[in-house]
C-alpha cells in the first residue's frame, strides 16, 4: 500500500520518501528517515517567575537610600551587641536595627538606653544636663560646663537607676568632660560615628533631659557646619551654665556667636570651637546629650542653644528652642578621649 492509499486520519502525514530500494539514506539502508523539516514548537518560558526577584531587589535599593546622609546605610546597620573597638577603649554601641532603618523611632529605641541625666551640685546650686555612655563600665562624655565646679555628681540611667560619678578629666577649651560611674557594669553604650561625613540637610535626632525630662527625643536636620561658637570655660559667667531655671531664673547656656552674646554673660574666661548647627529642638538640660544620625551613631555632643527670652534680659525663665542649636562634632570628642582619660584638667 502506498502512502497515498492509506485511509485518511489513520497515520500522521509526513513528507513522501522514495520507495525504490536503490535509494538509501545517508546512514545506510537500515537508517531511520530524516526528521521532519519543521521543529516541534517548544513551550515559551514563563517570565512571571522572575518578577518577585526584581521587586525584592528594588526594595533593597530603596532601603539603602532611606534616611539620607549615608551612602553605606544598609552595610553599617547591625542588630546590636557590644564589642571592643580597639585601643581607644570605646565600646561600639547598638545601632539601629535594619527593620527600623532611617526612622526616628528606630534611633530612639537603639540609643536612648545610652543617654543619661546628670545632676551636678555646686556652690552655685543644682546643675542639670545630659551625658552619653561610651563604655560598659560607665565612662560618660558630657560638656565641661555641665559639671564644672561640682562637688557631687549624680547620674540617672534611662532605667531610673542612679549612680554617683567621679570626674576623670576635663577639657575646658573644647567644653568636654569625662566622668565615670562608681560600681557600674554591663551598661548599654552608644556608637561614636564620623562627623566629617555629616552634610547640611542630613536628618538627625537629639536625645537628652531638658528640664529634667529624662530621655526626651527631638528631631531635625543639620542646618550648617563649622559654626564658631564661644562658651564660658569656667563657672564664672554669673548665670551658672546649665542651671535649673527653677532655682536660677533664666540665663541658660550663655554663649556667643557672630560677636553677640546670647542667653546671658559668658564671663571673662572663654573658648571657641567649631560646631554643628541643628534645628532639632534643644532646651536647658539637653547640654551634654547626643546628636545622632539615622544609623544610630553619635555625631555630636549638644552644647549650646539660642533662647530668645533669656537673651532679652527680662529675667524670665528660659524659652524653648527656636531652631538654633549647636553641637561639638564627635570627631573632636574621639580625638580628645586619651587626653580626658589621662586626667587632664581634673
Amino acid at each position: 500500500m502506498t502512502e497515498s492509499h492509506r485511509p485518511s486520519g489513520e497515520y500522521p502525514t509526513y513528507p513522501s520518501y522514495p520507495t525504490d530500494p536503490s535509494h538509501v539514506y545517508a546512514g545506510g539502508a537500515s537508517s531511520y528517515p530524516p526528521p521532519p523539516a519543521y521543529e516541534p514548537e517548544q513551550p515559551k518560558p514563563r517570565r512571571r517567575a522572575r518578577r518577585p526577584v526584581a521587586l525584592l531587589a528594588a526594595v533593597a535599593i530603596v532601603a539603602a537610600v532611606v534616611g539620607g546622609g549615608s551612602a553605606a546605610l544598609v552595610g553599617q546597620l547591625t542588630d546590636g551587641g557590644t564589642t571592643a573597638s580597639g585601643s581607644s577603649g570605646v565600646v561600639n554601641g547598638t545601632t539601629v536595627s535594619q527593620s527600623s532603618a532611617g526612622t526616628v523611632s528606630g534611633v530612639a529605641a537603639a540609643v536612648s538606653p545610652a543617654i543619661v541625666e546628670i545632676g551636678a551640685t555646686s556652690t552655685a546650686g543644682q546643675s542639670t544636663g545630659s551625658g552619653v555612655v561610651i563604655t560598659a563600665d560607665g565612662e560618660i562624655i558630657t560638656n565641661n560646663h555641665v559639671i564644672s565646679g561640682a562637688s557631687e555628681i549624680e547620674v540617672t540611667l534611662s532605667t531610673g537607676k542612679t549612680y554617683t560619678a567621679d570626674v576623670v578629666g576635663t577639657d575646658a577649651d573644647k567644653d568636654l568632660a569625662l566622668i565615670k560611674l562608681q560600681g557600674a557594669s554591663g551598661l548599654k553604650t552608644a556608637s561614636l560615628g564620623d562627623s566629617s561625613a555629616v552634610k547640611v540637610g542630613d536628618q538627625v535626632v537629639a536625645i537628652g533631659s531638658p528640664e529634667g525630662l529624662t530621655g526626651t527625643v527631638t528631631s531635625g536636620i543639620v542646618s550648617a557646619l563649622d559654626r564658631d561658637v564661644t562658651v564660658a570655660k569656667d563657672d564664672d559667667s554669673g548665670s551658672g551654665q546649665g542651671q535649673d531655671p527653677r532655682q536660677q531664673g533664666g540665663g541658660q547656656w550663655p554663649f556667643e556667636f557672630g560677636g553677640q552674646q546670647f542667653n546671658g554673660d559668658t564671663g571673662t574666661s572663654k573658648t571657641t570651637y567649631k560646631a554643628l548647627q541643628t534645628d532639632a529642638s534643644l532646651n536647658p538640660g539637653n547640654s551634654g546629650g547626643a546628636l545622632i544620625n539615622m544609623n544610630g551613631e553619635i555625631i555630636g555632643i549638644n552644647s549650646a542653644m539660642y533662647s530668645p527670652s533669656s537673651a532679652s534680659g527680662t529675667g524670665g525663665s528660659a524659652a524653648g528652642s527656636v531652631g538654633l542649636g549647636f553641637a561639638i562634632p564627635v570627631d573632636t570628642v574621639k580625638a580628645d578621649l586619651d587626653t580626658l582619660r589621662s586626667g587632664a584638667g581634673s
Side-chain angles (χ1 to χ4, degrees), residues 189-263:
T189 62
S191 180
L192 303 185
D194 179 6
S195 53
S196 68
V198 174
K199 301 179 184 66
V200 173
D202 283 355
Q203 188 176 0
V204 290
V205 174
I207 304 178
S209 299
E211 309 292 358
L213 300 174
T214 304
T216 296
V217 177
T218 57
S219 67
I221 63 168
V222 174
S223 303
L225 307 174
D226 298 324
R227 294 297 200 194
D228 288 323
V229 173
T230 300
V231 298
K233 292 176 64 173
D234 302 308
D235 58 349
D236 63 348
S237 64
S239 61
Q241 300 211 36
Q243 296 294 336
D244 186 333
R246 290 167 294 184
Q247 296 185 19
Q248 297 298 323
Q252 308 305 307
W253 278 358
F255 75 100
E256 298 177 14
F257 177 77
Q260 299 183 32
Q261 290 187 340
F262 299 94
N263 308 345

Side-chain angles (χ1 to χ4, degrees), residues 44-128:
K44 294 182 180 180
R46 295 182 180 179
R47 295 185 177 179
R48 288 191 176 184
R50 295 181 176 233
R51 289 184 182 175
V53 176
L55 289 175
L56 288 175
V59 170
I61 293 171
V62 172
V65 298
V66 169
S70 175
L73 176 62
V74 172
Q76 295 177 7
L77 298 178
T78 62
D79 280 331
T82 56
T83 56
S85 66
S87 60
S88 68
V90 178
V91 174
N92 292 327
T94 302
T95 51
V96 184
S97 66
Q98 190 148 357
S99 62
S100 300
T103 67
V104 175
S105 60
V107 172
V111 186
S112 288
I115 310 303
V116 300
E117 179 182 321
I118 299 174
T121 302
S122 68
T123 56
Q126 179 71 30
S127 171
T128 302

Side-chain angles (χ1 to χ4, degrees), residues 286-346:
N286 274 114
S287 189
L291 190 67
I292 311 157
N293 66 17
M294 301 312 288
N295 287 347
E297 300 166 331
I298 310 300
I299 59 168
I301 301 297
N302 297 319
S303 57
M305 67 153 195
Y306 170 57
S307 178
S309 68
S310 295
S312 67
T314 60
S317 63
S321 171
V322 292
L324 292 173
F326 303 92
I328 301 168
V330 75
D331 287 358
T332 301
V333 176
K334 292 190 293 186
D336 207 31
L337 269 178
D338 287 342
T339 300
L340 294 172
R341 286 186 172 125
S342 71
S346 58

